[in-house]
Amino acid sequence: MSGIWGNNIKLSIFGESHGKAIGINIDGLEPGIELDLDYINKEMGRRAPGKSKLATSRKEEDSFQILSGYFNGRTTGTPLCAIIYNTNQHSKDYEKTKNLMRPSHGDFTGYIKYKGFNDYRGGGHFSGRITAPLVFAGAVCKQILEKKGIVIGSHIKSIGKLEDKSFNMVDIDEKVLITLRENLFPTIDEKIALKMKDIIIKAREEKDSVGGVIETAVINLPVGIGEPFFDSVESTLAQLLFSIPAVKGVEFGSGFHITELKGSEANDEYYMDGDKVRTYSNNNGGVLGGITNGMPLVFRVAIKPTPSISKVQRTIDIDSGKNREMEIIGRHDPCIVPRALPVVEAAAAIAILDLC
Amino acid sequence: MSGIWGNNIKLSIFGESHGKAIGINIDGLEPGIELDLDYINKEMGRRAPGKSKLATSRKEEDSFQILSGYFNGRTTGTPLCAIIYNTNQHSKDYEKTKNLMRPSHGDFTGYIKYKGFNDYRGGGHFSGRITAPLVFAGAVCKQILEKKGIVIGSHIKSIGKLEDKSFNMVDIDEKVLITLRENLFPTIDEKIALKMKDIIIKAREEKDSVGGVIETAVINLPVGIGEPFFDSVESTLAQLLFSIPAVKGVEFGSGFHITELKGSEANDEYYMDGDKVRTYSNNNGGVLGGITNGMPLVFRVAIKPTPSISKVQRTIDIDSGKNREMEIIGRHDPCIVPRALPVVEAAAAIAILDLC
Amino acid sequence: MSGIWGNNIKLSIFGESHGKAIGINIDGLEPGIELDLDYINKEMGRRAPGKSKLATSRKEEDSFQILSGYFNGRTTGTPLCAIIYNTNQHSKDYEKTKNLMRPSHGDFTGYIKYKGFNDYRGGGHFSGRITAPLVFAGAVCKQILEKKGIVIGSHIKSIGKLEDKSFNMVDIDEKVLITLRENLFPTIDEKIALKMKDIIIKAREEKDSVGGVIETAVINLPVGIGEPFFDSVESTLAQLLFSIPAVKGVEFGSGFHITELKGSEANDEYYMDGDKVRTYSNNNGGVLGGITNGMPLVFRVAIKPTPSISKVQRTIDIDSGKNREMEIIGRHDPCIVPRALPVVEAAAAIAILDLC
Amino acid sequence: MSGIWGNNIKLSIFGESHGKAIGINIDGLEPGIELDLDYINKEMGRRAPGKSKLATSRKEEDSFQILSGYFNGRTTGTPLCAIIYNTNQHSKDYEKTKNLMRPSHGDFTGYIKYKGFNDYRGGGHFSGRITAPLVFAGAVCKQILEKKGIVIGSHIKSIGKLEDKSFNMVDIDEKVLITLRENLFPTIDEKIALKMKDIIIKAREEKDSVGGVIETAVINLPVGIGEPFFDSVESTLAQLLFSIPAVKGVEFGSGFHITELKGSEANDEYYMDGDKVRTYSNNNGGVLGGITNGMPLVFRVAIKPTPSISKVQRTIDIDSGKNREMEIIGRHDPCIVPRALPVVEAAAAIAILDLC
């Protein structure tokens, strides 16, 4: 099982990169919510390929069709299903090399798990393309959260070893988050973006790829969202975030760095700010005991370098069981981080709406 | 909701630190599995407090009673419930300070979520003590996995800024893992353990606390465990790991470090090792596309410094809504890392058995 | 929440009668299963309207499109999604009368639940049309079960007060079940079918409708399927069966009649039939303690008379809150029993595959 | 899997008839609910054996211990676990006959499912005794529902062929329901109770047993509870009801009888009763489209004759695979209907609170 997620909002995802269509069914939405389809299109556009020379030239329309659960411009409260037809696939690219297991892809593990019956074209169900329906669902959830004042924003914290500034975790401005969202390559320090892009372009020229870290913040969350154990805010978010291909690490607040602090440094002491309870620091990233404390929810996600590189790589032929070499031809992103960023935000929106 | 987890193995956890008992109900175990109760006791002992001067002096018996699902020394296949009666509580310690929200604990968030009706004594349901039933469940799952040859082991990767060596991710010996498990303060470099202990003792003397990182490996996993999306190995493990109090980060393989590598460095190239498919490196930590690839599963967990410190801290009184100062009196661990380590292993065992 | 079901096989259903499309996503199918699409079409045809003068003249193509999870003629093991585009709707029929709550339909309860935002056209998500995706899923599951030798068949046990013979519950022949399935109006006593049809035609002439009982058998089930409590065979089947519109009763084996027997009459005594354990009677319908005992699984489902009748009925206008009268114009089945029968079988196939 | 149930309220049940304890963990209750423990005891007493000569003389204390989730007389909002220690078992009664499969019990199916490792003593996990924790959970849920004005009541509709009057489904008085609850053998027509008891006593004298039908009503439900498909009121209730041992049929409203009516007779026409929407009849038992319509929810449950009878019965020896005869010695109910009645109500209370 793999394609069902959630408690209050249930997602059911489906599709393969080169199949007929990909999509998602969302169950549990409130009835009567006006949906801004342009907003959804814009979010889809942030993830869509073909936007710049930093990314793959595969042009996916990513134009969605809502099949159900939407009537007279509003949600009906019954399951909302949307699909995206696949087009512009170069399926034949994959036919010749289907027995060569691309390193660090899901080819080999999928082959074994599904006994060779999985759709291998373009990574099939393992393709990053399957995150498009997640972005659709995220765009729906984000709108609903925004009506409650909850805002999500992200920036590229690092590309390779080059780092952007961090969010000031105790005080994050809504305008900053919204400005970041307008940018297809968002950084807090605008100058760093150019240098990061240089790194990516250089990687492409070298037939190589690079990874990076995405830092996301969610502000204006009420106190009391989440659960003490298995449905903690961190558990819920992490489960969704680690389902995004290429994610290899997730941390909240000061994350791994908190382990280098003393308790007296790490503890977020409370004070009354008028009627509101706040903390002087936010090393816990807005979550205590699995539950939001009203401070900004901040987390970071590690995205590995795109595994599809044009350099020669050693691999095996799964049919003959022999060692081989391969070059991955095709249209690939030298860095998936900018396109993964809206997916990370979508996961956050879905997770938080589910917990609300 | 918070206390139910799992697909094939379902856990239902309950209890408060100073209530009558804590426990867990495990549904979905195969019938006929012989359980080694000494093994379970030993695992419980690794987590239990009062073992050394590094830890709290609260003596918890942690002696479990199996109430159901166990007959003639074997599992019956019906739900296995075990409880641990609470004893040796100093509940009155908490009565006087119940309105003072301990920084970086679940006191404030729990108070708001449960509208003031939660059991505040000793952290109630938020207490680290509730991980004892998880260790019980983990000890059951570990035994079952070991019968299939799957072995789990961990070491303390760091305390504060002091680091142990790392696992050699492409080749981890079963004996090493088992040896680590025999040690209540396991490190790969034995000499580093003494220095780490010094750091902890010093923290205690300074009325402070320290955190650290736990590195865990699971070996001999078959290829094909896990799912492409929401039930990926990483998603499943992360959900459980983040439900452990004090965990603020989880990473797999090279984790956050992988973002600093080029694709050509990060990619784990395949080769045939006789009949077996292996990779030269293991930056993906044994998981590709959410599914095990047969290489060691390796992950790291960031544990924050114990929030209970005796230093004076600023906080609020939730009843009066006023700023206050507090010193946390009582028996507390200056470092929770050694006792968190068997909990992390338990989470791993449960997650993997659930996916198997 | 409403549209997700299952443990091992997960269904996610969506759609409204007059929306763009209806469909279902099936997660958890084994990879590599060859699907006979003609078989699926035939099953869909059994449910489809417009086949005879006994049913509505609305012609639904019910031609499905598989969007995912199907590659080279076989299941891939990843989610299998199929949709059916809606055509031939007369949506305007419903516009004028949308405020008149049709008696014994879901109009009023749906209006209140969804705060007036539900798609009211043709019953929307409450329409019997939404069972078409269930039949699709059932046809997939049936094929898989048949490869294991498990066969499902049904007959119309009664229309109004007119009864067909019953299955001989201790001994049901596979051929009989398959023959019944070839018939769009299956009865054991063939002569009774004509009389039943007369009852239905007469009801139509009187602008009225009739109900009936469907009796279904599943044979060649292995011993040991099902669970003692909440996932008992009866629980699992009943949950699915009662989700079919118009079902008001479900009983197993001798059902309500068993309450009139003495224990000594009702008990199904065992005997060895060669190597096989069998029972002399089968009042428990093949299920004991929630688990199959190897005898035929037999159950009966009560289908209420179609609520859409052309007679004048008293109702309310939900907008004005006034009493009104209405005649339901349109194309309606005077008896839904023959078309509900394949839906009942689909539910049985899905439930059993989920438990296997 | 078998022991987990629910969406908003999650139950996790455990225990065997002759094990150490039986119990239930209830997750998802609101915090701050005052619990009346006497009320719970009284409900437990209605199910408890040994109350009259109509029932088994096994005396079960059925005194529960709340282990968690309850503090200062109120629910905390965290999991509420309660257990009942087993006492007064005559385990040796079962040792000698453990290989003889009692007809119409779960002995044989449990033996096969659990490969012979299940606890066979007293039916183990299949015992009706495991419904005691359900009654505990039901008593908690009932109290919560009653604070919202929702009241549940039942009567014995029939014993064998002898029938009580039925509820007037369009108008059921709260007082009548509460009066029925005070009675351990509740009937609407008081005189019928004596005759029913005579039938039961006669069955005992004949070493035989009898079954019957329970009719339950739930009143003052708001409109809009339940879901259109898999979580319909009928589906949710039926899943729980069929998990009660001995239940072989469930019907709502006019149930199987509705199939004998014309649509014009069966349809429940609406009218305005002041501000309130009501129906003239209630053949649908208060549920339309899976959702409550504000009319009384009425259903009937068929309870089979107790399978434990002292008459000689034919059976098999599972060890030798030979035909045998057996007499079931021990303390057994000649009719389980009166003790099943509070279990049915408990299931109703749990199901409805879950859907609310």
Side-chain angles (χ1 to χ4, degrees):
Chain A
M1 199 73 46
S2 68
I4 307 279
W5 183 89
N7 291 309
N8 295 314
I9 305 293
K10 293 223 188 244
L11 306 181
S12 174
I13 204 166
F14 53 86
E16 285 86 29
S17 182
H18 291 226
K20 194 170 278 181
I22 58 178
I24 198 159
N25 189 20
I26 312 170
D27 197 5
L29 295 173
E30 286 288 308
I33 300 165
E34 236 175 311
L35 290 184
D36 179 343
L37 301 189
D38 289 338
Y39 184 110
I40 299 175
N41 265 316
K42 205 169 162 185
E43 286 291 302
M44 303 284 285
R46 293 171 75 199
R47 195 214 68 90
K51 286 283 165 71
S52 81
K53 60 183 170 183
L54 298 172
T56 168
S57 61
R58 173 172 171 182
K59 280 189 189 59
E60 295 167 356
E61 285 269 341
D62 276 10
S63 61
F64 59 87
Q65 274 190 37
I66 298 180
L67 300 184
S68 67
Y70 184 68
F71 182 52
N72 290 336
R74 291 174 185 268
T75 59
T76 57
T78 53
L80 180 78
C81 183
I83 63 171
I84 303 156
Y85 277 100
N86 286 324
T87 54
N88 197 250
Q89 306 109 317
H90 293 200
S91 299
K92 286 184 190 161
D93 289 3
Y94 295 92
E95 200 60 37
K96 318 163 217 172
T97 55
K98 67 174 182 173
N99 290 325
L100 296 181
M101 304 287 96
R102 293 170 302 164
S104 293
H105 273 280
D107 296 359
F108 170 61
T109 56
Y111 183 94
I112 299 297
K113 180 174 187 66
Y114 299 115
K115 299 168 188 167
F117 294 109
N118 59 317
D119 183 348
Y120 48 79
R121 299 168 303 168
H125 189 57
F126 293 89
S127 168
R129 177 155 173 72
I130 315 306
T131 59
L134 268 190
V135 172
F136 173 88
V140 169
C141 295
K142 249 186 202 175
Q143 290 186 45
I144 298 172
L145 291 174
E146 284 179 14
K147 282 169 189 171
K148 303 178 182 196
I150 298 166
V151 178
I152 299 173
S154 311
H155 67 110
I156 298 174
K157 179 68 187 65
S158 66
I159 293 294
K161 289 172 187 164
L162 186 64
E163 293 208 30
D164 187 21
K165 286 178 192 167
S166 291
F167 281 130
N168 169 9
M169 295 197 291
V170 291
D171 191 12
I172 299 176
D173 192 43
E174 186 172 323
K175 282 176 207 159
V176 171
L177 295 186
I178 288 170
T179 306
L180 288 172
R181 212 193 283 171
E182 298 298 317
N183 197 330
L184 285 178
F185 200 99
T187 51
I188 295 177
D189 176 351
E190 288 179 23
K191 281 168 285 179
I192 212 83
L194 288 174
K195 292 183 190 164
M196 286 176 169
K197 288 177 184 178
D198 284 345
I199 291 174
I200 297 171
I201 289 166
K202 196 167 160 240
R204 151 165 288 172
E205 287 166 3
E206 292 170 351
K207 299 183 171 189
D208 215 330
S209 65
V210 286
V213 173
I214 293 162
E215 188 176 58
T216 300
V218 187
I219 60 170
N220 303 332
L221 282 165
V223 186
I225 306 296
E227 303 286 339
F229 269 89
F230 309 126
D231 297 331
S232 78
V233 170
E234 292 114 324
S235 288
T236 304
L237 263 163
Q239 194 194 16
L240 266 188
L241 291 168
F242 275 117
S243 73
I244 302 171
V247 171
K248 297 307 284 189
V250 171
E251 61 176 20
F252 292 84
S254 295
F256 278 87
H257 176 62
I258 206 173
T259 67
E260 301 184 9
L261 303 178
K262 296 276 173 63
S264 57
E265 298 162 326
N267 280 1
D268 300 318
E269 294 176 295
Y270 292 106
Y271 69 99
M272 297 301 305
D273 183 12
D275 273 3
K276 221 179 150 185
V277 176
R278 287 179 55 83
T279 56
Y280 289 103
S281 54
N282 189 14
N283 291 306
N284 285 285
V287 189
L288 287 171
I291 298 170
T292 54
N293 67 359
M295 297 296 290
L297 170 64
V298 181
F299 62 89
R300 256 156 263 106
V301 177
I303 308 288
K304 73 180 182 185
T306 323
S308 293
I309 56 173
S310 311
K311 281 195 170 169
V312 174
Q313 294 184 86
R314 292 169 292 179
T315 189
I316 56 155
D317 179 307
I318 194 74
D319 193 42
S320 66
K322 296 230 167 114
N323 293 325
R324 289 277 182 270
E325 291 197 336
M326 78 181 300
E327 289 166 67
I328 300 177
I329 316 288
R331 303 156 299 168
H332 301 291
D333 292 288
C335 180
I336 203 72
V337 175
R339 291 179 58 208
L341 189 145
V343 185
V344 164
E345 290 187 4
I350 295 163
I352 289 162
L353 190 63
D354 186 60
L355 290 170
C356 276
Chain B
M1 200 74 46
S2 68
I4 308 278
W5 183 90
N7 291 309
N8 297 312
I9 305 293
K10 291 223 190 243
L11 306 181
S12 174
I13 205 167
F14 53 87
E16 285 86 29
S17 182
H18 291 226
K20 194 170 278 180
I22 58 178
I24 198 159
N25 189 21
I26 313 171
D27 197 6
L29 295 172
E30 285 289 308
I33 301 165
E34 237 175 311
L35 291 184
D36 179 343
L37 302 188
D38 289 337
Y39 184 109
I40 298 175
N41 266 316
K42 205 169 161 185
E43 286 290 303
M44 302 285 284
R46 293 172 76 200
R47 196 214 68 90
K51 286 283 164 72
S52 81
K53 61 183 169 182
L54 297 171
T56 167
S57 60
R58 173 173 172 180
K59 280 189 188 59
E60 296 167 356
E61 284 271 342
D62 275 10
S63 61
F64 59 87
Q65 274 189 36
I66 298 180
L67 300 184
S68 67
Y70 184 68
F71 182 52
N72 291 336
R74 291 174 185 268
T75 58
T76 56
T78 52
L80 180 78
C81 184
I83 62 171
I84 303 155
Y85 277 100
N86 287 325
T87 54
N88 196 250
Q89 307 109 316
H90 293 200
S91 297
K92 285 184 189 159
D93 289 4
Y94 294 91
E95 200 59 38
K96 316 164 218 172
T97 54
K98 68 174 182 171
N99 290 325
L100 296 182
M101 304 288 96
R102 292 171 302 163
S104 292
H105 273 280
D107 297 359
F108 170 62
T109 56
Y111 183 93
I112 299 297
K113 180 173 187 66
Y114 298 115
K115 299 169 188 167
F117 294 110
N118 58 318
D119 183 348
Y120 48 78
R121 298 168 305 167
H125 188 58
F126 293 89
S127 168
R129 177 157 172 71
I130 314 307
T131 59
L134 268 189
V135 172
F136 173 87
V140 169
C141 295
K142 251 186 200 174
Q143 289 185 46
I144 298 172
L145 291 174
E146 284 178 14
K147 282 168 190 173
K148 304 179 183 196
I150 299 166
V151 178
I152 300 173
S154 311
H155 68 110
I156 298 174
K157 178 69 187 63
S158 66
I159 293 293
K161 289 172 187 166
L162 186 66
E163 294 208 29
D164 187 21
K165 286 179 191 166
S166 291
F167 280 129
N168 170 8
M169 294 197 291
V170 291
D171 191 12
I172 299 176
D173 193 42
E174 187 172 323
K175 281 176 207 157
V176 171
L177 295 185
I178 288 170
T179 306
L180 287 171
R181 213 194 281 171
E182 298 297 318
N183 198 331
L184 285 177
F185 200 99
T187 52
I188 295 177
D189 176 351
E190 288 179 23
K191 281 168 286 179
I192 211 83
L194 287 174
K195 291 182 191 164
M196 286 177 169
K197 288 178 183 176
D198 283 346
I199 290 174
I200 296 172
I201 289 167
K202 194 163 163 245
R204 152 165 288 173
E205 286 166 2
E206 291 172 350
K207 300 185 170 186
D208 215 329
S209 65
V210 286
V213 173
I214 293 162
E215 187 177 58
T216 300
V218 188
I219 60 170
N220 303 334
L221 282 165
V223 186
I225 306 296
E227 302 286 340
F229 269 90
F230 308 126
D231 297 330
S232 78
V233 171
E234 293 114 322
S235 288
T236 303
L237 263 163
Q239 195 194 16
L240 266 187
L241 291 168
F242 275 117
S243 72
I244 303 172
V247 171
K248 297 308 283 189
V250 171
E251 61 176 19
F252 291 84
S254 295
F256 278 87
H257 176 63
I258 206 173
T259 67
E260 302 184 8
L261 303 178
K262 296 276 173 64
S264 56
E265 298 162 326
N267 280 2
D268 298 318
E269 294 176 297
Y270 292 106
Y271 69 99
M272 297 302 304
D273 183 12
D275 273 3
K276 221 179 148 185
V277 176
R278 287 180 54 83
T279 56
Y280 290 104
S281 55
N282 188 14
N283 291 307
N284 285 285
V287 189
L288 286 172
I291 298 170
T292 54
N293 67 359
M295 297 296 290
L297 170 63
V298 181
F299 62 88
R300 257 156 264 107
V301 177
I303 308 287
K304 73 180 182 186
T306 324
S308 293
I309 56 173
S310 312
K311 281 197 171 170
V312 174
Q313 294 185 85
R314 291 169 292 179
T315 189
I316 55 155
D317 179 307
I318 194 74
D319 194 42
S320 67
K322 296 230 168 115
N323 292 325
R324 290 275 184 271
E325 291 197 337
M326 79 181 300
E327 288 166 67
I328 300 177
I329 315 289
R331 303 157 299 168
H332 303 291
D333 293 290
C335 180
I336 202 73
V337 175
R339 291 179 57 207
L341 188 145
V343 185
V344 165
E345 289 187 4
I350 295 163
I352 289 161
L353 190 63
D354 186 61
L355 290 170
C356 276
Chain C
M1 199 75 45
S2 67
I4 308 280
W5 183 89
N7 291 310
N8 296 312
I9 305 293
K10 291 223 188 243
L11 307 180
S12 174
I13 204 166
F14 53 87
E16 285 86 29
S17 182
H18 290 227
K20 194 169 279 181
I22 58 178
I24 197 160
N25 189 21
I26 313 171
D27 198 6
L29 294 173
E30 285 290 307
I33 301 164
E34 238 175 310
L35 292 184
D36 180 344
L37 302 189
D38 289 338
Y39 184 110
I40 299 175
N41 266 316
K42 205 169 161 185
E43 286 291 302
M44 302 286 284
R46 293 170 76 199
R47 195 213 69 90
K51 287 283 164 71
S52 80
K53 61 183 169 183
L54 297 171
T56 166
S57 61
R58 173 173 171 180
K59 279 188 191 59
E60 295 167 358
E61 284 272 343
D62 275 9
S63 62
F64 59 88
Q65 274 189 37
I66 298 181
L67 300 184
S68 68
Y70 184 68
F71 183 51
N72 291 336
R74 290 173 186 269
T75 59
T76 57
T78 52
L80 180 78
C81 183
I83 62 172
I84 303 156
Y85 277 100
N86 286 324
T87 54
N88 197 249
Q89 307 108 318
H90 292 200
S91 300
K92 285 184 188 160
D93 288 3
Y94 294 92
E95 201 60 39
K96 315 165 218 170
T97 55
K98 68 174 182 173
N99 290 322
L100 296 181
M101 303 289 96
R102 293 171 302 163
S104 293
H105 273 281
D107 297 359
F108 169 62
T109 56
Y111 183 93
I112 298 297
K113 180 173 186 66
Y114 299 114
K115 299 167 188 167
F117 294 109
N118 58 319
D119 183 348
Y120 48 78
R121 298 168 302 168
H125 188 57
F126 293 89
S127 168
R129 177 155 172 72
I130 315 306
T131 59
L134 268 189
V135 172
F136 173 88
V140 169
C141 295
K142 249 185 201 175
Q143 289 186 46
I144 299 172
L145 291 175
E146 284 178 14
K147 283 168 190 173
K148 304 178 183 197
I150 299 166
V151 178
I152 300 172
S154 311
H155 68 111
I156 298 174
K157 178 69 187 62
S158 66
I159 293 293
K161 289 173 187 165
L162 185 65
E163 293 207 30
D164 187 19
K165 287 178 190 167
S166 292
F167 280 130
N168 169 9
M169 294 197 291
V170 292
D171 191 12
I172 300 176
D173 193 42
E174 187 172 323
K175 280 176 208 159
V176 171
L177 296 186
I178 288 170
T179 306
L180 288 171
R181 211 193 285 171
E182 299 297 318
N183 198 330
L184 285 177
F185 201 98
T187 52
I188 295 177
D189 176 351
E190 288 179 24
K191 281 167 287 180
I192 211 83
L194 287 174
K195 291 182 190 164
M196 286 176 169
K197 288 178 183 176
D198 284 344
I199 290 174
I200 297 172
I201 289 165
K202 194 164 163 245
R204 150 165 291 172
E205 287 165 2
E206 291 171 350
K207 299 184 171 186
D208 215 329
S209 64
V210 287
V213 173
I214 294 161
E215 187 175 59
T216 300
V218 188
I219 60 170
N220 304 333
L221 281 165
V223 186
I225 306 296
E227 304 284 339
F229 270 89
F230 308 126
D231 297 330
S232 78
V233 170
E234 292 115 323
S235 288
T236 303
L237 264 163
Q239 194 194 15
L240 267 187
L241 291 168
F242 275 117
S243 71
I244 303 171
V247 170
K248 297 308 282 188
V250 171
E251 62 176 20
F252 292 84
S254 295
F256 278 87
H257 175 63
I258 204 173
T259 66
E260 301 184 8
L261 303 179
K262 296 277 173 65
S264 56
E265 298 162 326
N267 281 1
D268 299 318
E269 293 176 297
Y270 292 105
Y271 69 99
M272 296 302 305
D273 182 12
D275 273 3
K276 220 180 150 184
V277 176
R278 287 179 55 83
T279 56
Y280 289 104
S281 54
N282 188 15
N283 291 307
N284 285 284
V287 189
L288 287 171
I291 299 169
T292 54
N293 68 358
M295 296 297 290
L297 170 64
V298 181
F299 61 89
R300 255 156 264 106
V301 177
I303 308 287
K304 73 180 182 185
T306 323
S308 293
I309 56 173
S310 311
K311 280 196 170 170
V312 174
Q313 294 184 87
R314 291 169 293 178
T315 188
I316 56 156
D317 179 308
I318 194 73
D319 193 43
S320 68
K322 297 226 168 117
N323 292 325
R324 289 277 182 270
E325 291 197 338
M326 77 181 301
E327 290 167 66
I328 300 177
I329 314 289
R331 304 156 298 167
H332 303 290
D333 292 289
C335 180
I336 203 71
V337 175
R339 291 180 56 208
L341 188 145
V343 185
V344 165
E345 289 188 3
I350 295 164
I352 288 161
L353 191 63
D354 186 60
L355 291 170
C356 278
Chain D
M1 199 74 45
S2 68
I4 307 279
W5 184 89
N7 291 310
N8 296 312
I9 305 292
K10 293 224 188 242
L11 307 181
S12 173
I13 204 166
F14 53 86
E16 285 86 29
S17 181
H18 291 227
K20 194 170 277 179
I22 58 178
I24 198 159
N25 188 21
I26 312 170
D27 198 5
L29 295 173
E30 285 289 308
I33 301 165
E34 237 174 311
L35 291 185
D36 180 343
L37 302 188
D38 289 339
Y39 184 109
I40 299 175
N41 266 315
K42 204 169 162 186
E43 287 290 302
M44 303 284 285
R46 294 171 75 199
R47 195 212 70 90
K51 287 283 165 71
S52 80
K53 61 184 170 184
L54 298 171
T56 168
S57 61
R58 173 173 172 181
K59 280 189 189 59
E60 297 166 356
E61 285 269 343
D62 275 10
S63 62
F64 59 88
Q65 274 190 36
I66 297 181
L67 299 184
S68 68
Y70 185 66
F71 182 51
N72 290 337
R74 289 174 186 268
T75 59
T76 57
T78 53
L80 180 78
C81 183
I83 62 172
I84 303 155
Y85 277 100
N86 286 324
T87 54
N88 197 250
Q89 306 109 318
H90 292 201
S91 299
K92 286 184 189 159
D93 289 3
Y94 295 92
E95 201 59 38
K96 318 164 217 172
T97 55
K98 67 174 182 173
N99 290 324
L100 296 182
M101 304 288 96
R102 293 171 301 164
S104 293
H105 272 279
D107 296 358
F108 169 62
T109 57
Y111 183 93
I112 299 296
K113 179 172 188 68
Y114 299 114
K115 299 167 187 168
F117 294 109
N118 58 318
D119 183 349
Y120 47 79
R121 298 167 303 168
H125 188 58
F126 293 89
S127 168
R129 176 154 173 72
I130 315 305
T131 58
L134 268 190
V135 171
F136 173 88
V140 170
C141 295
K142 249 186 202 174
Q143 289 186 46
I144 298 173
L145 291 174
E146 284 179 14
K147 283 170 189 172
K148 303 178 182 198
I150 298 166
V151 178
I152 300 172
S154 310
H155 68 110
I156 298 174
K157 179 69 186 64
S158 67
I159 293 293
K161 289 173 188 165
L162 186 65
E163 294 208 29
D164 187 21
K165 287 178 190 166
S166 292
F167 281 129
N168 169 9
M169 295 198 291
V170 292
D171 191 11
I172 300 176
D173 193 41
E174 186 173 324
K175 281 176 207 158
V176 171
L177 296 185
I178 288 171
T179 306
L180 288 171
R181 212 193 284 170
E182 298 297 317
N183 197 329
L184 284 177
F185 201 99
T187 51
I188 295 177
D189 176 351
E190 288 178 24
K191 281 167 285 179
I192 211 84
L194 288 174
K195 292 182 190 164
M196 286 176 169
K197 288 177 185 177
D198 283 345
I199 291 174
I200 297 172
I201 289 165
K202 195 164 163 244
R204 150 166 291 171
E205 287 165 3
E206 291 170 351
K207 299 185 171 188
D208 215 329
S209 64
V210 286
V213 173
I214 294 163
E215 186 176 60
T216 299
V218 188
I219 60 169
N220 303 333
L221 281 166
V223 185
I225 305 296
E227 303 285 340
F229 269 89
F230 309 126
D231 298 329
S232 78
V233 170
E234 292 114 324
S235 288
T236 304
L237 263 163
Q239 195 195 14
L240 267 187
L241 291 168
F242 275 117
S243 71
I244 303 171
V247 170
K248 298 306 283 189
V250 171
E251 62 176 20
F252 292 84
S254 296
F256 278 87
H257 175 63
I258 204 172
T259 67
E260 301 183 8
L261 303 179
K262 296 276 173 65
S264 57
E265 297 162 326
N267 281 0
D268 299 317
E269 294 177 296
Y270 292 106
Y271 69 99
M272 297 303 304
D273 183 11
D275 272 4
K276 222 179 149 185
V277 175
R278 287 179 56 83
T279 57
Y280 290 104
S281 54
N282 188 14
N283 291 306
N284 285 284
V287 189
L288 287 171
I291 298 170
T292 54
N293 68 358
M295 296 297 290
L297 170 64
V298 181
F299 62 89
R300 256 155 262 105
V301 177
I303 307 287
K304 73 180 182 185
T306 323
S308 293
I309 56 173
S310 311
K311 281 196 170 170
V312 173
Q313 294 184 88
R314 292 168 293 179
T315 188
I316 56 156
D317 179 307
I318 193 74
D319 193 43
S320 67
K322 297 226 167 116
N323 292 326
R324 290 276 182 273
E325 290 195 337
M326 77 180 300
E327 289 166 66
I328 300 177
I329 314 288
R331 304 156 298 168
H332 302 291
D333 292 290
C335 180
I336 203 71
V337 175
R339 289 181 58 208
L341 188 145
V343 185
V344 165
E345 289 187 4
I350 294 164
I352 288 162
L353 190 63
D354 186 61
L355 291 171
C356 277

